Amino acid sequence: MDFPSGRLGWGDEIRPARPVPGAGPGALDPLRSLLHSISSHLSDKELSDLKFLLRDKIGKRKLDPVQSGQGLFSILMEQREIARDNLELLKKLLQHIKRQDLLSDVVQFEEQQPPAPNDQPDEHEERRLEAAIGVICDYVGRDWKRLMRALGMPEVKLDKIEAAYPFQLDEKVFQALRGWKKWMGKDAEVAELIKALRGCRLNFVADKVEEKISQLNTGTR
């Protein structure tokens, strides 16, 4: 089943996210707690809409007996369509039924998960990224949201940063870039930052990043 493409949450009203159940110390399985919470907030019509959207992925025979979100999510977990490190389908489904509040809960859950050691940039790229982020923080200014959108960051993440640091522009830029780096994991690269900067016509900042990386590579300052 194909779902609408595009960055999640763009242009939609973002409701404040509830605390994610099961995310605290000593809790039960965090993902199951999250899915239980989502299930309890779904209306009968929304469940019906989800079943319709998943007809090609699961099949009518399995879907017809499903009477709750928990039952639906259990099937998706069995098929590995939902996992702690794979929540893209769940986010698309929630976006499609216009439950931005529940989508925010999923995004919050993802942010609370510790990154896997093998899902981070190597030591060399890590140094380059930190240097590039420092330069961008110094120069990008009020264009930070435009840059982050070019990097593919979901609007819901940007709204949360905006709300957390309403009068601290430098902190907003820093938190957004660090969030992007964590979100991308091992796929975070300086080349992507430079490409996005030039795509936003922030060529001066891109030049400054390239200059800093060149200095880093040659051991100069």
Side-chain angles (χ1 to χ4, degrees):
M1 177 80 192
D2 292 330
F3 295 94
S5 59
R7 297 179 178 90
L8 295 177
W10 282 40
D12 292 333
E13 180 183 357
I14 309 297
R15 305 179 195 174
R18 294 178 295 279
V20 175
L28 299 174
D29 179 80
L31 177 58
R32 291 187 180 276
S33 296
L34 171 70
L35 295 175
H36 179 271
S37 176
I38 291 173
S39 175
S40 68
H41 288 91
L42 292 173
S43 68
D44 289 342
K45 181 184 184 304
E46 288 166 339
L47 176 61
S48 177
D49 290 343
L50 292 176
K51 289 170 67 174
F52 175 79
L53 292 169
L54 290 165
R55 181 63 57 90
D56 294 339
K57 192 173 288 290
I58 294 177
K60 185 176 184 299
R61 187 173 180 179
K62 276 190 174 182
L63 280 174
D64 281 348
V66 172
Q67 299 296 322
S68 68
Q70 291 182 60
L72 185 62
F73 297 146
S74 293
I75 295 173
L76 291 172
M77 290 178 72
E78 289 171 6
Q79 297 184 183
R80 296 295 297 169
E81 295 287 354
I82 290 180
R84 190 178 300 196
D85 59 351
N86 180 22
L87 297 174
E88 291 307 309
L89 175 62
L90 178 60
K91 290 190 291 186
K92 288 178 181 178
L93 290 168
L94 294 174
Q95 181 190 21
H96 199 84
I97 64 172
K98 303 188 186 318
R99 286 304 303 267
Q100 198 69 25
D101 56 332
L102 299 180
L103 174 60
S104 295
D105 287 350
V106 176
V107 171
Q108 181 182 346
F109 174 86
E110 288 182 316
E111 291 174 344
Q112 291 172 346
Q113 300 309 299
N118 63 348
D119 191 35
Q120 296 301 296
D122 61 34
E123 186 176 342
H124 174 66
E125 190 64 22
E126 180 76 25
R127 287 197 301 269
R128 287 160 47 88
L129 282 165
E130 290 300 315
I133 287 172
V135 172
I136 294 171
C137 286
D138 287 341
Y139 289 102
V140 78
R142 298 188 181 279
D143 289 315
W144 71 279
K145 273 194 174 183
R146 184 152 58 100
L147 172 63
M148 299 317 299
R149 287 167 181 151
L151 287 166
M153 282 283 280
E155 194 76 8
V156 63
K157 289 179 179 285
L158 303 183
D159 285 345
K160 288 177 67 175
I161 293 169
E162 185 78 67
Y165 307 98
F167 307 112
Q168 299 166 269
L169 179 59
D170 290 349
E171 191 65 22
K172 282 188 278 196
V173 179
F174 176 74
Q175 292 296 335
L177 288 166
R178 292 300 294 269
W180 169 82
K181 179 171 163 287
K182 178 181 177 182
W183 183 55
M184 292 295 291
K186 63 184 178 182
D187 294 324
E189 297 179 351
V190 171
E192 288 300 313
L193 291 173
I194 294 172
K195 179 181 176 181
L197 285 166
R198 297 206 181 280
C200 293
R201 298 184 180 179
L202 298 171
N203 291 311
F204 174 78
V205 186
D207 291 343
K208 287 291 184 180
V209 171
E210 289 181 337
E211 179 183 334
K212 181 66 177 181
I213 298 304
S214 178
Q215 292 173 353
L216 192 66
N217 291 339
T218 59
T220 59
R221 293 183 179 271

mmCIF file of all heavy atoms in Angstrom, residues 57-90:
data_model
loop_
_atom_site.group_PDB
_atom_site.id
_atom_site.type_symbol
_atom_site.label_atom_id
_atom_site.label_comp_id
_atom_site.label_asym_id
_atom_site.label_seq_id
_atom_site.Cartn_x
_atom_site.Cartn_y
_atom_site.Cartn_z
ATOM 1 N N LYS A 57 -1.316 -4.814 2.864
ATOM 2 C CA LYS A 57 -0.101 -5.228 3.580
ATOM 3 C C LYS A 57 -0.363 -6.435 4.490
ATOM 4 O O LYS A 57 0.508 -7.286 4.672
ATOM 5 C CB LYS A 57 0.428 -4.045 4.407
ATOM 6 C CG LYS A 57 1.824 -4.254 4.952
ATOM 7 C CD LYS A 57 2.345 -2.984 5.596
ATOM 8 C CE LYS A 57 2.676 -1.934 4.576
ATOM 9 N NZ LYS A 57 3.880 -2.289 3.776
ATOM 10 N N ILE A 58 -1.556 -6.513 5.057
ATOM 11 C CA ILE A 58 -1.864 -7.596 5.997
ATOM 12 C C ILE A 58 -2.805 -8.638 5.392
ATOM 13 O O ILE A 58 -2.625 -9.836 5.567
ATOM 14 C CB ILE A 58 -2.473 -7.008 7.292
ATOM 15 C CG1 ILE A 58 -1.422 -6.160 8.031
ATOM 16 C CG2 ILE A 58 -2.980 -8.119 8.202
ATOM 17 C CD1 ILE A 58 -1.939 -5.482 9.275
ATOM 18 N N GLY A 59 -3.817 -8.181 4.702
ATOM 19 C CA GLY A 59 -4.771 -9.117 4.113
ATOM 20 C C GLY A 59 -6.096 -9.122 4.868
ATOM 21 O O GLY A 59 -6.129 -9.011 6.098
ATOM 22 N N LYS A 60 -7.181 -9.259 4.125
ATOM 23 C CA LYS A 60 -8.529 -9.189 4.687
ATOM 24 C C LYS A 60 -8.775 -10.272 5.734
ATOM 25 O O LYS A 60 -9.413 -10.024 6.764
ATOM 26 C CB LYS A 60 -9.549 -9.308 3.562
ATOM 27 C CG LYS A 60 -10.999 -9.131 3.974
ATOM 28 C CD LYS A 60 -11.889 -9.171 2.757
ATOM 29 C CE LYS A 60 -13.350 -8.885 3.131
ATOM 30 N NZ LYS A 60 -13.908 -9.855 4.067
ATOM 31 N N ARG A 61 -8.258 -11.451 5.493
ATOM 32 C CA ARG A 61 -8.517 -12.575 6.398
ATOM 33 C C ARG A 61 -7.996 -12.301 7.805
ATOM 34 O O ARG A 61 -8.661 -12.641 8.795
ATOM 35 C CB ARG A 61 -7.883 -13.834 5.826
ATOM 36 C CG ARG A 61 -8.214 -15.105 6.595
ATOM 37 C CD ARG A 61 -7.672 -16.308 5.858
ATOM 38 N NE ARG A 61 -7.966 -17.549 6.565
ATOM 39 C CZ ARG A 61 -7.623 -18.744 6.129
ATOM 40 N NH1 ARG A 61 -6.979 -18.872 4.984
ATOM 41 N NH2 ARG A 61 -7.912 -19.819 6.828
ATOM 42 N N LYS A 62 -6.821 -11.711 7.912
ATOM 43 C CA LYS A 62 -6.253 -11.389 9.221
ATOM 44 C C LYS A 62 -6.883 -10.144 9.818
ATOM 45 O O LYS A 62 -7.009 -10.017 11.037
ATOM 46 C CB LYS A 62 -4.731 -11.173 9.106
ATOM 47 C CG LYS A 62 -3.901 -12.430 9.166
ATOM 48 C CD LYS A 62 -2.423 -12.072 9.297
ATOM 49 C CE LYS A 62 -1.584 -13.313 9.499
ATOM 50 N NZ LYS A 62 -0.148 -12.975 9.669
ATOM 51 N N LEU A 63 -7.268 -9.202 8.958
ATOM 52 C CA LEU A 63 -7.768 -7.917 9.449
ATOM 53 C C LEU A 63 -9.195 -7.989 9.975
ATOM 54 O O LEU A 63 -9.545 -7.297 10.938
ATOM 55 C CB LEU A 63 -7.691 -6.859 8.340
ATOM 56 C CG LEU A 63 -6.327 -6.228 8.094
ATOM 57 C CD1 LEU A 63 -6.375 -5.318 6.871
ATOM 58 C CD2 LEU A 63 -5.865 -5.437 9.312
ATOM 59 N N ASP A 64 -10.034 -8.782 9.348
ATOM 60 C CA ASP A 64 -11.455 -8.795 9.711
ATOM 61 C C ASP A 64 -11.712 -9.058 11.199
ATOM 62 O O ASP A 64 -12.574 -8.410 11.803
ATOM 63 C CB ASP A 64 -12.214 -9.817 8.855
ATOM 64 C CG ASP A 64 -12.514 -9.280 7.460
ATOM 65 O OD1 ASP A 64 -12.333 -8.057 7.248
ATOM 66 O OD2 ASP A 64 -12.922 -10.080 6.587
ATOM 67 N N PRO A 65 -10.971 -9.998 11.843
ATOM 68 C CA PRO A 65 -11.245 -10.242 13.276
ATOM 69 C C PRO A 65 -10.702 -9.157 14.209
ATOM 70 O O PRO A 65 -11.027 -9.163 15.398
ATOM 71 C CB PRO A 65 -10.532 -11.578 13.547
ATOM 72 C CG PRO A 65 -10.170 -12.135 12.212
ATOM 73 C CD PRO A 65 -10.017 -10.963 11.315
ATOM 74 N N VAL A 66 -9.863 -8.259 13.719
ATOM 75 C CA VAL A 66 -9.219 -7.253 14.576
ATOM 76 C C VAL A 66 -10.255 -6.256 15.089
ATOM 77 O O VAL A 66 -10.989 -5.642 14.313
ATOM 78 C CB VAL A 66 -8.107 -6.516 13.799
ATOM 79 C CG1 VAL A 66 -7.589 -5.339 14.618
ATOM 80 C CG2 VAL A 66 -6.973 -7.477 13.469
ATOM 81 N N GLN A 67 -10.316 -6.092 16.398
ATOM 82 C CA GLN A 67 -11.298 -5.207 17.022
ATOM 83 C C GLN A 67 -10.659 -4.069 17.807
ATOM 84 O O GLN A 67 -11.367 -3.274 18.427
ATOM 85 C CB GLN A 67 -12.192 -6.014 17.979
ATOM 86 C CG GLN A 67 -12.984 -7.119 17.295
ATOM 87 C CD GLN A 67 -13.976 -6.583 16.281
ATOM 88 O OE1 GLN A 67 -14.596 -5.544 16.508
ATOM 89 N NE2 GLN A 67 -14.121 -7.271 15.148
ATOM 90 N N SER A 68 -9.335 -3.982 17.802
ATOM 91 C CA SER A 68 -8.663 -2.933 18.580
ATOM 92 C C SER A 68 -7.339 -2.565 17.938
ATOM 93 O O SER A 68 -6.788 -3.325 17.123
ATOM 94 C CB SER A 68 -8.406 -3.416 20.022
ATOM 95 O OG SER A 68 -7.431 -4.453 20.021
ATOM 96 N N GLY A 69 -6.832 -1.407 18.331
ATOM 97 C CA GLY A 69 -5.523 -0.997 17.858
ATOM 98 C C GLY A 69 -4.447 -1.957 18.321
ATOM 99 O O GLY A 69 -3.490 -2.240 17.591
ATOM 100 N N GLN A 70 -4.596 -2.505 19.525
ATOM 101 C CA GLN A 70 -3.612 -3.462 20.036
ATOM 102 C C GLN A 70 -3.510 -4.683 19.130
ATOM 103 O O GLN A 70 -2.415 -5.158 18.831
ATOM 104 C CB GLN A 70 -3.999 -3.908 21.451
ATOM 105 C CG GLN A 70 -3.866 -2.819 22.496
ATOM 106 C CD GLN A 70 -4.211 -3.336 23.882
ATOM 107 O OE1 GLN A 70 -3.577 -4.252 24.391
ATOM 108 N NE2 GLN A 70 -5.239 -2.764 24.483
ATOM 109 N N GLY A 71 -4.655 -5.186 18.716
ATOM 110 C CA GLY A 71 -4.646 -6.340 17.819
ATOM 111 C C GLY A 71 -3.973 -6.030 16.501
ATOM 112 O O GLY A 71 -3.202 -6.841 15.968
ATOM 113 N N LEU A 72 -4.256 -4.834 15.985
ATOM 114 C CA LEU A 72 -3.655 -4.419 14.713
ATOM 115 C C LEU A 72 -2.151 -4.269 14.849
ATOM 116 O O LEU A 72 -1.376 -4.759 14.008
ATOM 117 C CB LEU A 72 -4.288 -3.102 14.265
ATOM 118 C CG LEU A 72 -3.864 -2.571 12.899
ATOM 119 C CD1 LEU A 72 -4.258 -3.539 11.794
ATOM 120 C CD2 LEU A 72 -4.494 -1.196 12.656
ATOM 121 N N PHE A 73 -1.719 -3.622 15.928
ATOM 122 C CA PHE A 73 -0.284 -3.398 16.122
ATOM 123 C C PHE A 73 0.452 -4.711 16.387
ATOM 124 O O PHE A 73 1.620 -4.852 16.018
ATOM 125 C CB PHE A 73 -0.055 -2.408 17.269
ATOM 126 C CG PHE A 73 -0.631 -1.040 17.013
ATOM 127 C CD1 PHE A 73 -1.147 -0.282 18.050
ATOM 128 C CD2 PHE A 73 -0.648 -0.514 15.723
ATOM 129 C CE1 PHE A 73 -1.671 0.987 17.816
ATOM 130 C CE2 PHE A 73 -1.178 0.754 15.481
ATOM 131 C CZ PHE A 73 -1.690 1.505 16.537
ATOM 132 N N SER A 74 -0.214 -5.657 17.045
ATOM 133 C CA SER A 74 0.419 -6.960 17.290
ATOM 134 C C SER A 74 0.753 -7.657 15.975
ATOM 135 O O SER A 74 1.842 -8.235 15.825
ATOM 136 C CB SER A 74 -0.506 -7.849 18.129
ATOM 137 O OG SER A 74 -0.651 -7.335 19.436
ATOM 138 N N ILE A 75 -0.172 -7.586 15.019
ATOM 139 C CA ILE A 75 0.090 -8.183 13.706
ATOM 140 C C ILE A 75 1.273 -7.495 13.030
ATOM 141 O O ILE A 75 2.157 -8.149 12.469
ATOM 142 C CB ILE A 75 -1.160 -8.088 12.815
ATOM 143 C CG1 ILE A 75 -2.295 -8.931 13.396
ATOM 144 C CG2 ILE A 75 -0.839 -8.542 11.388
ATOM 145 C CD1 ILE A 75 -3.617 -8.763 12.678
ATOM 146 N N LEU A 76 1.289 -6.169 13.089
ATOM 147 C CA LEU A 76 2.375 -5.418 12.449
ATOM 148 C C LEU A 76 3.720 -5.698 13.110
ATOM 149 O O LEU A 76 4.751 -5.739 12.433
ATOM 150 C CB LEU A 76 2.067 -3.916 12.491
ATOM 151 C CG LEU A 76 0.901 -3.465 11.608
ATOM 152 C CD1 LEU A 76 0.556 -2.005 11.867
ATOM 153 C CD2 LEU A 76 1.235 -3.671 10.133
ATOM 154 N N MET A 77 3.724 -5.926 14.429
ATOM 155 C CA MET A 77 4.969 -6.278 15.111
ATOM 156 C C MET A 77 5.436 -7.674 14.704
ATOM 157 O O MET A 77 6.626 -7.903 14.505
ATOM 158 C CB MET A 77 4.782 -6.189 16.632
ATOM 159 C CG MET A 77 4.626 -4.761 17.146
ATOM 160 S SD MET A 77 4.340 -4.691 18.931
ATOM 161 C CE MET A 77 5.964 -5.126 19.562
ATOM 162 N N GLU A 78 4.494 -8.593 14.569
ATOM 163 C CA GLU A 78 4.852 -9.940 14.132
ATOM 164 C C GLU A 78 5.474 -9.933 12.739
ATOM 165 O O GLU A 78 6.376 -10.721 12.439
ATOM 166 C CB GLU A 78 3.606 -10.834 14.136
ATOM 167 C CG GLU A 78 3.105 -11.194 15.517
ATOM 168 C CD GLU A 78 1.756 -11.899 15.465
ATOM 169 O OE1 GLU A 78 1.301 -12.197 14.338
ATOM 170 O OE2 GLU A 78 1.173 -12.145 16.539
ATOM 171 N N GLN A 79 4.974 -9.052 11.891
ATOM 172 C CA GLN A 79 5.488 -8.947 10.522
ATOM 173 C C GLN A 79 6.699 -8.027 10.426
ATOM 174 O O GLN A 79 7.213 -7.771 9.333
ATOM 175 C CB GLN A 79 4.377 -8.436 9.590
ATOM 176 C CG GLN A 79 3.200 -9.378 9.492
ATOM 177 C CD GLN A 79 2.143 -8.908 8.499
ATOM 178 O OE1 GLN A 79 1.102 -9.531 8.352
ATOM 179 N NE2 GLN A 79 2.415 -7.828 7.793
ATOM 180 N N ARG A 80 7.175 -7.512 11.571
ATOM 181 C CA ARG A 80 8.331 -6.601 11.629
ATOM 182 C C ARG A 80 8.071 -5.304 10.865
ATOM 183 O O ARG A 80 8.996 -4.628 10.428
ATOM 184 C CB ARG A 80 9.598 -7.281 11.092
ATOM 185 C CG ARG A 80 10.060 -8.461 11.906
ATOM 186 C CD ARG A 80 10.497 -8.066 13.296
ATOM 187 N NE ARG A 80 11.650 -7.180 13.267
ATOM 188 C CZ ARG A 80 12.116 -6.519 14.328
ATOM 189 N NH1 ARG A 80 11.513 -6.634 15.483
ATOM 190 N NH2 ARG A 80 13.159 -5.716 14.208
ATOM 191 N N GLU A 81 6.792 -4.951 10.732
ATOM 192 C CA GLU A 81 6.440 -3.665 10.127
ATOM 193 C C GLU A 81 6.501 -2.553 11.167
ATOM 194 O O GLU A 81 6.574 -1.379 10.835
ATOM 195 C CB GLU A 81 5.039 -3.723 9.519
ATOM 196 C CG GLU A 81 4.891 -4.684 8.357
ATOM 197 C CD GLU A 81 5.550 -4.191 7.087
ATOM 198 O OE1 GLU A 81 6.032 -3.043 7.063
ATOM 199 O OE2 GLU A 81 5.585 -4.961 6.103
ATOM 200 N N ILE A 82 6.436 -2.939 12.431
ATOM 201 C CA ILE A 82 6.647 -2.019 13.554
ATOM 202 C C ILE A 82 7.683 -2.639 14.464
ATOM 203 O O ILE A 82 7.558 -3.802 14.865
ATOM 204 C CB ILE A 82 5.346 -1.756 14.338
ATOM 205 C CG1 ILE A 82 4.362 -0.925 13.508
ATOM 206 C CG2 ILE A 82 5.643 -1.030 15.645
ATOM 207 C CD1 ILE A 82 3.051 -0.627 14.229
ATOM 208 N N ALA A 83 8.718 -1.886 14.780
ATOM 209 C CA ALA A 83 9.758 -2.315 15.710
ATOM 210 C C ALA A 83 10.326 -1.062 16.363
ATOM 211 O O ALA A 83 10.086 0.060 15.902
ATOM 212 C CB ALA A 83 10.861 -3.094 14.987
ATOM 213 N N ARG A 84 11.070 -1.253 17.433
ATOM 214 C CA ARG A 84 11.593 -0.096 18.155
ATOM 215 C C ARG A 84 12.442 0.796 17.258
ATOM 216 O O ARG A 84 12.450 2.014 17.396
ATOM 217 C CB ARG A 84 12.413 -0.560 19.366
ATOM 218 C CG ARG A 84 12.785 0.583 20.301
ATOM 219 C CD ARG A 84 13.547 0.116 21.520
ATOM 220 N NE ARG A 84 12.784 -0.832 22.314
ATOM 221 C CZ ARG A 84 13.100 -1.150 23.568
ATOM 222 N NH1 ARG A 84 14.146 -0.600 24.131
ATOM 223 N NH2 ARG A 84 12.373 -2.029 24.230
ATOM 224 N N ASP A 85 13.144 0.166 16.305
ATOM 225 C CA ASP A 85 13.996 0.935 15.403
ATOM 226 C C ASP A 85 13.361 1.104 14.025
ATOM 227 O O ASP A 85 14.043 1.470 13.069
ATOM 228 C CB ASP A 85 15.368 0.270 15.275
ATOM 229 C CG ASP A 85 15.272 -1.156 14.735
ATOM 230 O OD1 ASP A 85 14.135 -1.684 14.632
ATOM 231 O OD2 ASP A 85 16.315 -1.746 14.426
ATOM 232 N N ASN A 86 12.070 0.835 13.924
ATOM 233 C CA ASN A 86 11.384 0.962 12.632
ATOM 234 C C ASN A 86 9.940 1.402 12.868
ATOM 235 O O ASN A 86 9.029 0.571 12.969
ATOM 236 C CB ASN A 86 11.423 -0.364 11.870
ATOM 237 C CG ASN A 86 10.711 -0.275 10.521
ATOM 238 O OD1 ASN A 86 10.554 0.811 9.965
ATOM 239 N ND2 ASN A 86 10.275 -1.403 10.009
ATOM 240 N N LEU A 87 9.736 2.713 12.945
ATOM 241 C CA LEU A 87 8.415 3.261 13.231
ATOM 242 C C LEU A 87 7.888 4.116 12.081
ATOM 243 O O LEU A 87 6.927 4.863 12.249
ATOM 244 C CB LEU A 87 8.465 4.093 14.524
ATOM 245 C CG LEU A 87 8.831 3.309 15.785
ATOM 246 C CD1 LEU A 87 9.005 4.253 16.964
ATOM 247 C CD2 LEU A 87 7.775 2.249 16.102
ATOM 248 N N GLU A 88 8.512 3.986 10.918
ATOM 249 C CA GLU A 88 8.118 4.835 9.792
ATOM 250 C C GLU A 88 6.684 4.547 9.345
ATOM 251 O O GLU A 88 5.915 5.469 9.071
ATOM 252 C CB GLU A 88 9.088 4.639 8.620
ATOM 253 C CG GLU A 88 10.482 5.192 8.877
ATOM 254 C CD GLU A 88 10.455 6.644 9.329
ATOM 255 O OE1 GLU A 88 9.799 7.456 8.638
ATOM 256 O OE2 GLU A 88 11.062 6.960 10.365
ATOM 257 N N LEU A 89 6.309 3.272 9.250
ATOM 258 C CA LEU A 89 4.945 2.940 8.824
ATOM 259 C C LEU A 89 3.933 3.483 9.829
ATOM 260 O O LEU A 89 2.902 4.046 9.441
ATOM 261 C CB LEU A 89 4.787 1.427 8.674
ATOM 262 C CG LEU A 89 3.363 0.943 8.344
ATOM 263 C CD1 LEU A 89 2.902 1.507 7.008
ATOM 264 C CD2 LEU A 89 3.291 -0.578 8.346
ATOM 265 N N LEU A 90 4.217 3.301 11.118
ATOM 266 C CA LEU A 90 3.309 3.800 12.153
ATOM 267 C C LEU A 90 3.123 5.311 12.024
ATOM 268 O O LEU A 90 1.998 5.812 12.116
ATOM 269 C CB LEU A 90 3.869 3.449 13.538
ATOM 270 C CG LEU A 90 3.055 3.948 14.738
ATOM 271 C CD1 LEU A 90 1.642 3.362 14.718
ATOM 272 C CD2 LEU A 90 3.771 3.603 16.042
#
